[in-house]
Amino acid sequence: MSRGDPHWSEPIRTRSSVRQNANHLGYLTTVSYPHRDLTAFPEGSPYSEVVVSDLNEKHVALFQRFKQHWLIHCGNYYRTTESAGELRNEQVLELAVFALSHQDKPALALVAHSRRRSKGC
């Protein structure tokens, strides 16, 4: 793919199942923007996104990575983290399992959980 290709700047989406032990809990979709010019909109463009949905495809959580923080959105609630940076695949999966297992709790619980998990980033 090159700049001349009309699909060059499109996001890349990857979808997988979220499982805990033998139980299928939901779905995880990661979105990356490998060719996005982040200098054009440095404050408003996420570097990447993680979308968690349940077995009925209902949105459970959205994690958006920005330059200096993550935005965690659950239902009508959202919070930002105090840390930034990439999450390892294991950390993303753990957050997805946590989100699916705690759907009745607001984003604050996910922020607190993500803080504990992101210490190793």
Side-chain angles (χ1 to χ4, degrees), residues 58-103:
K58 182 181 174 200
H59 174 268
V60 174
L62 169 66
F63 304 87
Q64 292 181 301
R65 178 183 172 224
F66 289 89
K67 183 177 182 178
Q68 297 181 359
H69 69 277
W70 280 83
L71 175 68
I72 300 174
H73 185 101
C74 302
N76 295 326
Y77 302 96
Y78 67 92
R79 295 280 192 257
T80 58
T81 65
E82 295 174 2
S83 59
E86 285 286 330
L87 293 175
R88 295 184 313 274
N89 289 340
E90 300 83 31
Q91 291 172 309
V92 171
L93 185 57
E94 183 179 338
L95 287 171
V97 168
F98 186 86
L100 288 162
S101 300
H102 297 85
Q103 293 182 50

Side-chain angles (χ1 to χ4, degrees), residues 17-26 93-94 96-102:
S17 294
V18 177
R19 296 183 178 276
Q20 184 177 39
N21 303 321
N23 297 324
H24 183 202
L25 302 177
L93 185 57
E94 183 179 338
V97 168
F98 186 86
L100 288 162
S101 300
H102 297 85

Side-chain angles (χ1 to χ4, degrees):
M1 229 182 267
S2 66
R3 281 188 182 262
D5 185 336
H7 302 290
W8 181 76
S9 64
E10 289 185 4
I12 296 175
R13 290 176 177 81
T14 305
R15 183 176 172 176
S16 59
S17 294
V18 177
R19 296 183 178 276
Q20 184 177 39
N21 303 321
N23 297 324
H24 183 202
L25 302 177
Y27 301 97
L28 175 66
T29 304
T30 57
V31 183
S32 63
Y33 304 94
H35 303 293
R36 177 179 277 175
D37 180 6
L38 293 169
T39 61
F41 303 99
E43 300 302 323
S45 296
Y47 285 35
S48 63
E49 298 172 307
V50 176
V51 182
V52 180
S53 58
D54 65 15
L55 293 172
N56 295 316
E57 301 289 336
K58 182 181 174 200
H59 174 268
V60 174
L62 169 66
F63 304 87
Q64 292 181 301
R65 178 183 172 224
F66 289 89
K67 183 177 182 178
Q68 297 181 359
H69 69 277
W70 280 83
L71 175 68
I72 300 174
H73 185 101
C74 302
N76 295 326
Y77 302 96
Y78 67 92
R79 295 280 192 257
T80 58
T81 65
E82 295 174 2
S83 59
E86 285 286 330
L87 293 175
R88 295 184 313 274
N89 289 340
E90 300 83 31
Q91 291 172 309
V92 171
L93 185 57
E94 183 179 338
L95 287 171
V97 168
F98 186 86
L100 288 162
S101 300
H102 297 85
Q103 293 182 50
D104 57 332
K105 295 183 180 175
L108 188 56
L110 280 172
V111 171
H113 186 73
S114 68
R115 281 189 190 139
R116 291 190 298 271
R117 303 305 340 139
S118 65
K119 297 293 184 198
C121 286

